[in-house]
Amino acid sequence: MKSSARQHFQFVRDYLLLLSLLYFAGCVSNGHATPKQTPFNNTIPALLVFGDSTVDPGNNDYVNTVFKGNFPPYGRDFTNRVATGRFTNGQLPTDYIISYMGVKDYVPPYLNQSLHIEELMTGVSFASAGSGYDPLTPTLSNVVPLQKQLEYFQEYRERLEGAIGKEKTDDLIKRSMFLLSAGTNDFALNYFTAQLRRMSFSASNYEKFVLQHFKGFIQGLLSQGATKIAVVGLPPMGCLPVIITSNTIPLTGRQCVERINSVSRDYNTLLQSELRHLQSTQLNKETKIYYADIYGPLQDMIQNHQRYGFEVVSSGCCGTGLLEASFLCNAKTPVCLDASKYIFWDAIHPTDRAYYLIFQAFRPLIDFIIEDLTS
Ligand SMILES: *[C@@H]1O[C@H](CO)[C@@H](O)[C@H](O)[C@H]1NC(C)=O
Ligand SMILES: *[C@@H]1O[C@H](CO)[C@@H](O)[C@H](O)[C@H]1NC(C)=O
């Protein structure tokens, strides 16, 4: 490798380490959305969400971490242009799902201690940007580990029990839709960037290691009464702008990193067989675990971007689009004019429009789960 290329790699790696290790002492002021309430349907009481930034509506606002998105330009295209802590310019797939269910307009973050009981009862997200299944991953940015998200869920149950009683709470949990979206940070941040696990694991062994932790988590959810759980797989991680930047030599063209995409595909294959195995060992016949494919839809958007009206696929809308995310994408960063022409908002996270299309791709599955829950 030429020394300039090596310097470039080292710069990118140092930058990413900085991103993951720096802690902001003070919080940037945060706003909030005031969703208009839709009358809720009673068919499915709630959507309960766990995972990382793809489904974190602002829990990190309440956590001492550098991984925050509660300042402009985040939220630029959200209702009232409010930066809520969502790592995108608008809504997350789970916001689209919960409005589609007719429950309410947005999934609020559980760590907002002021949520009313009705808001709790209709669904919250426990997810935390930067988190992952590997217990080491959330420590890189001091965010909420998945195990801790499970403890918050236990606390959530107790709060509901205090308000509506145990029987109603159990019933509500049983009839709710659960969604779990994590894993990208384990590979893209921990394994391939910080390279902490790379000394001791081959990629394929690390896939198995992550899956073991995933399994422990989902068993925890099941033991707490979840019966319908959708599990989102890994996206084509080699196409994340920041991964392209750190794995290609500048000026040779920005292409998805196939080696890293193949890790996503291998993991997704293992995940699906794990889900089938988990399903087959459930004694409770009502329990259903579903796989939600995000790889296919995102890959299709990237490969056939013209068909979707996307003009930029390999860099984000914020800043240079090559590296910026979280605090490096801030009020002083130049931002593209029309984010709907971009697949990525920052160097890691999709735009509102890409998230909407992902929701559309999930719809047949959502319909299936709704049917299952209401039959
Ligand atoms: C927290 O929830 C309360 C109750 O819904 C809401 O009024 C408040 O705006 C939320 N806080 C933030 C920062 O979003
Ligand atoms: C109830 O749910 C159905 C779909 O299941 C939806 O079409 C309808 O708009 C919802 N009703 C309300 C009042 O939200």
Side-chain angles (χ1 to χ4, degrees):
M1 199 189 310
K2 286 236 205 68
S3 78
S4 67
R6 187 173 300 127
Q7 272 166 11
H8 166 76
F9 280 113
Q10 264 161 8
F11 165 74
V12 171
R13 184 168 317 147
D14 289 351
Y15 156 79
L16 285 163
L17 272 177
L18 185 75
L19 242 190
S20 48
L21 298 175
L22 252 178
Y23 288 30
F24 264 1
C27 286
V28 184
S29 76
N30 55 56
H32 66 275
T34 43
K36 65 171 172 17
Q37 292 292 318
T38 47
F40 81 89
N41 240 329
N42 263 331
T43 47
I44 295 169
L47 176 64
L48 295 163
V49 182
F50 301 82
D52 61 19
S53 59
T54 51
V55 290
D56 174 4
N59 282 311
N60 279 13
D61 299 1
Y62 305 92
V63 173
N64 184 19
T65 175
V66 69
F67 268 40
K68 291 185 201 281
N70 57 352
F71 39 80
Y74 287 101
R76 189 182 74 174
D77 303 304
F78 197 80
T79 312
N80 302 329
R81 302 178 174 266
V82 178
T84 54
R86 287 170 176 79
F87 279 78
T88 184
N89 57 314
Q91 300 188 43
L92 299 173
T94 35
D95 296 315
Y96 286 116
I97 293 172
I98 206 162
S99 8
Y100 179 67
M101 286 161 57
V103 175
K104 56 185 174 184
D105 286 352
Y106 307 105
V107 181
Y110 176 70
L111 293 186
N112 177 350
Q113 291 295 313
S114 319
L115 294 181
H116 309 298
I117 187 70
E118 296 76 20
E119 294 175 286
L120 292 176
M121 283 170 62
T122 47
V124 292
S125 172
F126 300 89
S128 173
S131 202
Y133 294 119
D134 179 349
L136 187 60
T137 305
T139 67
L140 293 174
S141 45
N142 197 36
V143 297
V144 188
L146 274 156
Q147 204 49 44
K148 183 74 189 170
Q149 294 180 28
L150 209 50
E151 285 169 30
Y152 282 131
F153 176 53
Q154 174 78 42
E155 178 192 278
Y156 165 90
R157 287 183 58 112
E158 285 159 12
R159 284 170 75 181
L160 287 197
E161 284 178 19
I164 60 171
K166 180 161 175 16
E167 205 173 311
K168 281 195 174 138
T169 302
D170 287 351
D171 183 61
L172 186 143
I173 302 284
K174 201 176 88 180
R175 292 188 301 114
S176 292
M177 191 188 299
F178 286 73
L179 188 138
L180 174 53
S181 175
T184 299
N185 295 311
D186 296 314
F187 291 91
L189 177 69
N190 179 344
Y191 190 84
F192 285 112
T193 302
Q195 306 207 346
L196 297 172
R197 292 292 195 191
R198 220 167 165 174
M199 334 282 188
S200 29
F201 291 95
S202 67
S204 88
N205 283 339
Y206 189 62
E207 288 161 18
K208 293 180 190 114
F209 177 80
V210 169
L211 273 170
Q212 274 312 109
H213 285 282
F214 157 76
K215 208 169 143 188
F217 180 82
I218 202 164
Q219 275 161 348
L221 266 190
L222 291 165
S223 73
Q224 289 202 41
T227 66
K228 313 287 178 221
I229 311 174
V231 181
V232 182
L234 289 180
M237 298 183 296
C239 299
L240 301 180
V242 72
I243 290 290
I244 297 179
T245 304
S246 58
N247 287 276
T248 47
I249 295 162
L251 308 178
T252 57
R254 292 177 59 78
Q255 304 287 329
C256 295
V257 184
E258 175 49 31
R259 174 174 62 86
I260 295 185
N261 277 351
S262 83
V263 171
S264 293
R265 291 194 301 271
D266 290 348
Y267 173 88
N268 286 343
T269 304
L270 293 176
L271 172 63
Q272 288 170 80
S273 72
E274 185 59 57
L275 295 183
R276 279 191 296 271
H277 178 72
L278 270 168
Q279 181 67 59
S280 69
T281 53
Q282 292 310 307
L283 299 175
N284 181 353
K285 289 289 158 260
E286 284 176 29
T287 302
K288 294 276 165 55
I289 307 163
Y290 314 86
Y291 174 69
D293 177 40
I294 191 173
Y295 189 102
L298 203 48
Q299 180 76 350
D300 190 52
M301 278 183 233
I302 291 165
Q303 270 169 359
N304 305 305
H305 55 96
Q306 290 101 338
R307 197 185 300 158
Y308 294 92
F310 287 120
E311 289 170 9
V312 185
V313 300
S314 68
S315 55
C317 163
C318 190
T320 63
L322 308 180
L323 285 172
E324 294 91 339
S326 188
F327 66 91
L328 287 177
C329 171
N330 59 49
K332 295 204 170 75
T333 317
V335 189
C336 75
L337 279 179
D338 184 0
S340 71
K341 298 200 160 53
Y342 285 68
I343 292 182
F344 292 96
W345 165 249
D346 62 19
I348 303 173
H349 305 100
T351 53
D352 173 84
R353 177 135 182 278
Y355 272 149
Y356 177 75
L357 293 168
I358 289 167
F359 153 71
Q360 289 289 353
F362 285 175
R363 258 185 63 184
L365 176 66
I366 304 293
D367 288 342
F368 192 77
I369 303 176
I370 291 177
E371 216 167 279
D372 215 6
L373 274 165
T374 52
S375 62

